[in-house]
């Protein structure tokens, strides 16, 4: 099963300069490829393939010799990104979606380069990259399996990371479990399990919203393109990066715990985009909770560990009584489920999680 391992890089100042220069050269290739394909369609009414675009690289190297500073396959991958962008564009047009024509990349809008097959080697905590050299890696865990490709990425705070795509990685060994659980995600509690476990909502955005607003306000008052504004913008980026890291860490730890403990995991199949459009007043809280990230982590960890994840239609899971099945309508502010038919009184989210478990097990039985 393919896996991605991500680590922090520790390049020297000279290596940072080389990486930034290579990103700019890759961005130039991306923009030239996009311009080539765009002009061919508009002026000649013909489409240029990936292979035809790739054959332009030797010609571009003659007029721009500095392209030779970048490993050849990295430049080819930049050309391939344009091809993938056009394929995605045509797929959206065919599906009747908002197409979004591929755009040229401005400065600082091209922040990663990929070695798709070769040109790299990892030994202990040192990563060798062709045309760059040896870079130290913060190897906090072992890379298991065969490395097929790697991507170097520059974050908004100018930190550098490497992601290895690994094949033949061993599955995560976990003890067998016959336990099943239904999980209801929410705002007042991040998650409630059908066995009565309540997971508190961390509300990371609320905890640093004042600090973020102050930093953003300070940045907005400074003159454009000034060194002071750049410094203030970096502070804002640091806060956002920390927010993302906190959410990521929480989702990883909780999903790991769930996959270790339960053999069958039943989750709501919530359309988050649709929910936000219908209830925009919930957008900030829903996005801060990062339900989609949590669901993604549970799903891929479960697949690796041989667990089963069942997605359940969320319709009426909060309104239906988990004891008798009757509908007890209630507004969002009502946090207690009170069934007038059978007399069941229970926390609203716990009742929903029990319904999710029941529906999930029914789906497994039918399958």
């Amino acid at each position: 099963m393919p896996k991605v391992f991500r680590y922090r890089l520790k390049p020297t100042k000279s290596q940072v300069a080389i990486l930034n220069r290579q990103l700019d050269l890759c961005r130039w290739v991306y923009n030239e490829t996009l311009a080539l394909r765009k002009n061919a369609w508009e002026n000649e009414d013909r489409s240029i393939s990936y292979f035809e675009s790739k054959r332009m690289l030797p010609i571009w190297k003659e007029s721009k010799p500095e392209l030779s500073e970048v490993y050849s396959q990295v430049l080819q991958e930049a050309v391939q990104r344009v091809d993938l962008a056009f394929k995605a564009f045509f797929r959206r047009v065919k599906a009747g979606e908002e197409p979004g024509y591929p755009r040229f990349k401005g400065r600082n809008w091209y922040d990663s380069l990929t070695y798709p097959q070769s040109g790299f080697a990892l030994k202990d905590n040192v990563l060798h990259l062709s045309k760059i050299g040896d870079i130290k890696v913060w190897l906090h865990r072992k890379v298991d399996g065969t490395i097929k490709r790697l991507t170097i990425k520059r974050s908004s705070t100018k930190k550098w990371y490497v992601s290895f795509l690994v094949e033949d990685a061993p599955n995560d060994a976990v003890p067998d479990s016959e336990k099943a659980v239904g999980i209801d995600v929410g705002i007042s509690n991040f998650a409630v399990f059908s066995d009565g476990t309540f997971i508190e909502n961390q509300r990371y955005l609320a905890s640093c919203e004042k600090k973020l607003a102050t930093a953003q306000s300070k940045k907005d008052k400074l003159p454009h393109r000034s060194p002071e504004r750049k410094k203030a913008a970096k502070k804002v980026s640091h806060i956002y990066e920390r927010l993302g890291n906190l959410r990521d860490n929480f989702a990883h730890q909780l999903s790991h715990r769930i996959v270790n403990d339960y053999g069958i995991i039943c989750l709501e199949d919530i359309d988050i985009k649709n929910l936000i459009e219908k209830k925009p007043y919930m957008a900030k809280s829903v996005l801060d909770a990062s339900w989609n990230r949590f669901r993604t982590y549970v799903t891929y960890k479960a697949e690796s560990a041989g667990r089963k994840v069942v997605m359940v239609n969320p319709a009426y899971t909060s309104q239906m009584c988990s004891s008798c099945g009757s509908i007890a309508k209630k507004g969002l502010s009502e946090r207690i489920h009170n069934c007038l038919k059978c007399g069941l009184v229970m926390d609203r989210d716990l009742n929903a999680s029990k319904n999710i478990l029941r529906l999930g097990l029914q789906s497994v039985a039918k399958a």
Side-chain angles (χ1 to χ4, degrees), residues 18-24 26 70 74-75 77 81 110-116 129 132 150-154 160-161 163:
I18 294 171
L19 287 166
N20 283 324
R21 178 164 173 77
Q22 292 204 2
L23 283 178
D24 275 340
C26 287
V70 185
V74 174
L75 293 177
E77 197 274 337
R81 291 188 189 188
Y110 195 101
D111 56 10
S112 67
L113 51 88
T114 298
Y115 286 73
L129 297 172
I132 296 175
L150 68 82
T151 298
I152 307 295
K153 185 174 176 64
R154 178 183 62 196
W160 294 87
Y161 296 89
S163 296

Side-chain angles (χ1 to χ4, degrees), residues 22 26 29 50 54 57 61 67-79 114-116 118-119 130-131:
Q22 292 204 2
C26 287
V29 169
Y50 161 65
K54 192 169 69 170
L57 284 172
K61 283 183 179 180
L67 289 175
S68 299
E69 298 173 16
V70 185
Y71 186 60
S72 58
Q73 288 190 5
V74 174
L75 293 177
Q76 291 170 17
E77 197 274 337
V79 174
T114 298
Y115 286 73
S118 60
S130 180
K131 305 278 187 171

Side-chain angles (χ1 to χ4, degrees), residues 154-199:
R154 178 183 62 196
S155 75
S156 59
T157 55
K158 310 304 180 187
K159 295 176 183 175
W160 294 87
Y161 296 89
V162 59
S163 296
F164 299 103
L165 177 66
V166 174
E167 286 188 357
D168 306 319
N171 288 339
D172 298 326
V174 293
D176 292 338
S177 174
E178 296 182 358
K179 293 195 294 182
V181 67
I183 302 175
D184 177 69
V185 293
I187 301 298
S188 51
N189 290 293
F190 175 80
V192 177
F193 298 0
S194 54
D195 60 9
T197 304
F198 285 72
I199 306 297

